[in-house]
Amino acid sequence: MHHQWYLSYSENHLSLNEPGLLLHKKRNGLVLRSWIGPMAHMLMSKLLRRHHPDQARLTNNGWQLPIDKQQAQHLLIEASFQQQFCLHHYQVTGDLLNHGLPPEHFDELLLYLRMSLQHPSHQSLIQVMSLIQPDNHRNEEQLETLEQYKLIQRISHNNTCFYDKNPLPHAHLYDPKSHMLYDHHCQLDDSGLQLIRC
């Protein structure tokens, strides 16, 4: 079997604390499509169930899986179906339409935020979106619009902006060691964390 493509997968892609799945052209390593966050994890899990796990090889940064052209086409179709399911499941398309916003301009960004377990910083969110949609240069404007329509919340702390999929006021905890922001839960051990009320 002639493998013209390969997939690379890592649990912490580019130190973003998110999994990343990339489809590469084997000849030149060019990245043709990237999935970051829970979507990457879901697609890789399905791929490993479908292919023999011994085809995947461990590298310094994660896993690589050689695939042929037909498998690459199946992956892109599967990813498209998975994306449509998630857009419906996370009510992304419906909420955008209810606010009069064109889904094709905002759906990738809002879906990533709703699926992610993180409260990404502005810098990491822009980096993620540049990987998912390399041709989109309107991420800043789109973030402002989603915030203006109260579909997301922006939290500022220590000269850093974070984004939360939950636009309702609630408390957060900031970890100065990892520079991560978390929702405040009463059962969480909050020693060493800074409480932020929004």
Side-chain angles (χ1 to χ4, degrees), residues 130-178:
S130 72
L131 294 168
I132 295 174
Q133 291 183 301
D135 296 329
N136 180 10
H137 305 290
R138 300 179 59 220
N139 288 313
E140 303 277 357
E141 178 186 329
Q142 290 166 340
L143 279 169
E144 287 178 21
T145 302
L146 291 176
E147 184 187 357
Q148 175 188 351
Y149 281 87
K150 302 201 181 321
L151 288 166
I152 61 172
Q153 179 181 180
R154 182 167 53 109
I155 300 114
S156 296
H157 183 69
N158 284 356
N159 297 320
T160 303
C161 289
F162 298 90
Y163 292 92
D164 191 343
K165 60 189 156 201
N166 181 355
L168 301 175
H170 59 285
H172 295 89
L173 293 169
Y174 175 75
D175 183 352
K177 290 181 184 173
S178 66

Side-chain angles (χ1 to χ4, degrees), residues 117 119 171-175 178 180-184 188 193:
L117 300 176
H119 293 71
H172 295 89
L173 293 169
Y174 175 75
D175 183 352
S178 66
M180 300 283 285
L181 191 73
Y182 305 94
D183 283 329
H184 181 259
L188 183 69
L193 304 179

Side-chain angles (χ1 to χ4, degrees), residues 81-95:
F81 281 126
Q82 189 69 43
Q83 173 133 352
Q84 290 307 311
F85 170 81
C86 290
L87 286 169
H88 176 73
H89 178 76
Y90 289 93
Q91 302 176 357
V92 170
T93 304
D95 285 349

Side-chain angles (χ1 to χ4, degrees), residues 51-74:
H51 299 281
H52 296 291
D54 60 349
Q55 288 182 344
R57 70 180 176 86
L58 190 59
T59 67
N60 289 340
N61 298 323
W63 293 90
Q64 277 193 3
L65 179 66
I67 59 175
D68 61 30
K69 184 176 181 179
Q70 186 177 13
Q71 290 168 324
Q73 289 170 337
H74 284 285

Side-chain angles (χ1 to χ4, degrees), residues 114-126:
R114 288 192 173 175
M115 290 183 73
S116 178
L117 300 176
Q118 297 190 52
H119 293 71
S121 69
H122 182 82
Q123 180 182 355
S124 65
L125 182 56
I126 295 299

